[in-house]
Structures are given as C-alpha cells and as structure tokens.
Amino acid sequence: MAQEGGTTRLAGLERAIETGMMTGMAAAVPMGIFAMIASASWQRAGFYTPMYRIASVLDPLPLQASLEEAAAGSPSFYFYPQPMFAGAAVHLAIGGFFGVLFVLLVRALRVRGPVALAAGVLYGLVVAALMGLLLLPVAADQLGGGRQIAEAASIVGWPTFAAWHLLYGLGLGTWTLLRP
C-alpha cells in the first residue's frame, strides 16, 4: 500500500512538471512576440533582435547585423533563420523551466482564484529581477556572451524588460486561474 501512495505522489509530481513546462513555454510565446514588437517599434533595434540577442552566445554576427541595419534607419526585418530559431528555442526552454518552478510553487501554496493572476504577475517580475541582476550576467560570464547578454535588461531598458516578464507572469497566472 505504501508503494501505491508513493507512485501516486510521483505521478502527481510528474504531471505538475509536465504542466509547468508546457505552461511556461506557452506563456513565453506572447512574451517573445511582445519583445520583438517592442524591439522593432519604440526601441528601433530590429524585429528579430531579441532572438538574436539570446543566440549571440553562439553567434554574435546576426545580432550585430540586425542592430546595424536598424541603426541605418531602415525598418529592420533582417532574418537569418538558424540563430533566430535557436534564440526562440532557448527562450521557450527558459520559459518552460521557470514555468515548472511556478507550477510547483502554486501547487505547494495551493494558490487558486483571482489571487493566481496576482501571483503570476508578481512571479514574472521576480523572474525579471533574477534574470536581469543575477542569471544573465552569470550566464554571459560562463558562456562568453559578453555585454549583450550580461546587460540585456539595461540595453532594452528595465521598464521594457519588466513588461516582458509581467506578460509572462500574466500568462502563468491566467493558466492557474483557468485550470480545471
């Protein structure tokens, strides 16, 4: 009987992790779209630049080309598929990771109802601070990402960076609110 209870708990944890991955990736999609719209419009840095910034650890040339084209004053839709899709994949993976943490947290705290939206937004802002102040600088140092990764929050502007993550958190909170 003890074995069956442990198996049930393990299945529940596995389901929570799977749900967290999918929820985090789903919440990362509108965040990424918003980041690209912000980059192409008021930041005037090029539409795909956020994805190139993520992939610049592997290849900084597409990021440089996108920024140079945007600096020249033309609408920048410089598209180079491999680094754009690599950046998008890493963005979704990181969203999935933080989604798992969020789902495990709200499950442990039994967050339900309208409080879930607030919890998601707050979580998104905490992720922004954690990424901008600690994780991106450490990742840049360890992976050779340089200034574009280490100072990403400052480069895009903290209000915009926070808005990206607020949207991510809103997606997570909405899932928590609407889940069956």
Side-chain angles (χ1 to χ4, degrees):
M1 193 67 156
Q3 178 71 17
E4 187 175 306
T7 303
T8 302
R9 274 193 303 276
L10 186 58
L13 178 62
E14 182 179 345
R15 193 170 33 259
I17 291 170
E18 290 169 354
T19 300
M21 278 190 266
M22 296 307 293
T23 302
M25 289 170 53
V29 170
M31 175 192 178
I33 292 169
F34 179 68
M36 291 190 299
I37 291 169
S39 182
S41 59
W42 68 82
Q43 292 178 332
R44 292 178 171 68
F47 186 75
Y48 297 106
T49 299
M51 297 308 135
Y52 297 146
R53 181 170 280 115
I54 295 168
S56 69
V57 170
L58 304 172
D59 184 4
L61 295 178
L63 174 63
Q64 292 170 353
S66 184
L67 291 171
E68 288 170 6
E69 189 173 301
S74 63
S76 178
F77 287 94
Y78 173 78
F79 182 70
Y80 189 50
Q82 288 86 355
M84 198 290 293
F85 289 120
V90 170
H91 173 72
L92 292 175
I94 292 169
F97 171 77
F98 281 109
V100 168
L101 297 181
F102 179 76
V103 166
L104 292 175
L105 185 64
V106 298
R107 181 176 178 230
L109 298 175
R110 299 175 196 259
V111 176
R112 299 269 191 252
V115 173
L117 281 176
V121 168
L122 179 63
Y123 181 80
L125 293 174
V126 167
V127 169
L130 185 64
M131 290 294 287
L133 298 173
L134 178 67
L135 297 179
L136 289 175
V138 168
D141 182 54
Q142 294 298 311
L143 301 173
R147 178 180 174 273
Q148 288 294 333
I149 299 295
E151 300 174 19
S154 297
I155 291 170
V156 301
W158 274 99
T160 301
F161 192 74
W164 295 352
H165 290 83
L166 186 141
L167 187 60
Y168 173 72
L170 188 61
L172 294 174
T174 300
W175 167 82
T176 305
L177 177 67
L178 299 177
R179 73 176 183 213

